[in-house]
Amino acid sequence: MSGQAPLRAAEVALLAEMTKLAPSGVRIGCRSIRNGDENLLLPEESRSILSRQLEARRASGAARVIARQLLAQVGIENAVIKRATSGAPLWPPGFVGSLAHDDVIAVAAVGRRTEVLSLGIDVEPAEPLPEEVAAIVQTAGDALVDVDGHLACRLLFGVKEAVYKASYPLDGIVLGYEHIAVDLKARNAVTTGGRKVRFSFCLFPRIVVLADVPLP
């Protein structure tokens, strides 16, 4: 039990910050990735995930058990969340959602289609982005203001990942970093296809970005 205490403390600390991000009708959760979490995948989910790498399957299991718990809170028990050929999770009818993980934490967000059009989530360590990655993530259309300088590019990376996840189910367009313009102060982004996405974020203890497309 004592070995689980630090993991649980990390979850509680992050969840306290994450719950501030979700708009009305959206549920959000997190879980520290543990040895054996690959066994949390339901049989149909396991077959739909082509990667045989243990770390990837372990993170997928952790993320899906969070999503199942969130769906159970609104009456959807034992939801099967398979992986589409595009890589996106497949949600029960009437719901939208998003999954993400880094090496330590898995996160999930779910909502009803009657409450939100689409969701995207990302989680990152609260540390600077490597310079070679930052160089391709930030483009001329991005406005990086009012954010701790050493975390700005890491946050921008997370925002673009979350915005892509929110926009792809609606538009079916594969986007690069250069196709998403982000305004961190206004908390919104727009794709080159004209899709407008809003987002919220926390920076500590990890960076989590929740992007959503509201109903018209």
Side-chain angles (χ1 to χ4, degrees):
M1 182 65 70
S2 60
Q4 296 296 319
L7 296 179
R8 183 58 183 159
E11 293 170 4
V12 170
L14 182 57
L15 186 60
E17 296 302 314
M18 289 175 60
T19 52
K20 302 172 185 177
L21 308 181
S24 177
V26 174
R27 295 173 182 269
I28 193 169
C30 65
R31 174 187 170 89
S32 298
I33 300 169
R34 301 164 169 79
N35 292 340
D37 278 357
E38 64 277 10
N39 299 318
L40 298 173
L41 291 169
L42 298 178
E44 292 175 77
E45 295 171 342
S46 183
R47 289 191 293 270
S48 73
I49 297 171
L50 300 181
S51 174
R52 309 320 298 175
Q53 292 186 343
L54 179 59
E55 292 80 4
R57 298 181 72 81
R58 185 170 288 164
S60 293
R64 280 167 170 77
V65 79
I66 302 165
R68 261 193 290 284
Q69 291 167 353
L70 297 175
L71 288 166
Q73 293 172 14
V74 292
I76 307 299
E77 298 288 344
N78 302 314
V80 176
I81 307 166
K82 295 191 291 185
R83 186 181 189 272
T85 54
S86 67
L90 296 172
W91 299 95
F95 287 85
V96 296
S98 186
L99 309 174
H101 65 86
D102 60 14
D103 292 340
V104 176
I105 290 279
V107 296
V110 300
R112 294 185 186 273
R113 290 187 184 276
T114 54
E115 303 272 358
V116 63
L117 204 56
S118 187
L119 291 169
I121 196 169
D122 190 59
V123 59
E124 301 288 332
E127 58 189 41
L129 197 66
E131 290 184 7
E132 64 275 14
V133 181
I136 63 173
V137 170
Q138 185 174 0
T139 62
D142 299 320
L144 306 187
V145 293
D146 295 342
V147 175
D148 186 333
H150 80 288
L151 292 181
C153 280
R154 175 73 74 169
L155 172 59
L156 181 64
F157 177 88
V159 169
K160 293 194 176 187
E161 290 289 324
V163 168
Y164 173 69
K165 290 180 179 181
S167 66
Y168 183 82
L170 301 175
D171 303 325
I173 300 173
V174 176
L175 301 172
Y177 299 119
E178 69 277 14
H179 300 138
I180 303 172
V182 173
D183 186 334
L184 289 183
K185 184 176 183 179
R187 306 293 198 268
N188 59 47
V190 61
T191 71
T192 51
R195 175 67 63 187
K196 295 179 180 179
V197 183
R198 64 185 184 180
F199 61 85
S200 55
F201 61 85
C202 64
L203 294 176
F204 297 102
R206 303 187 87 73
I207 294 172
V208 176
V209 181
L210 179 65
D212 73 283
V213 179
L215 297 175

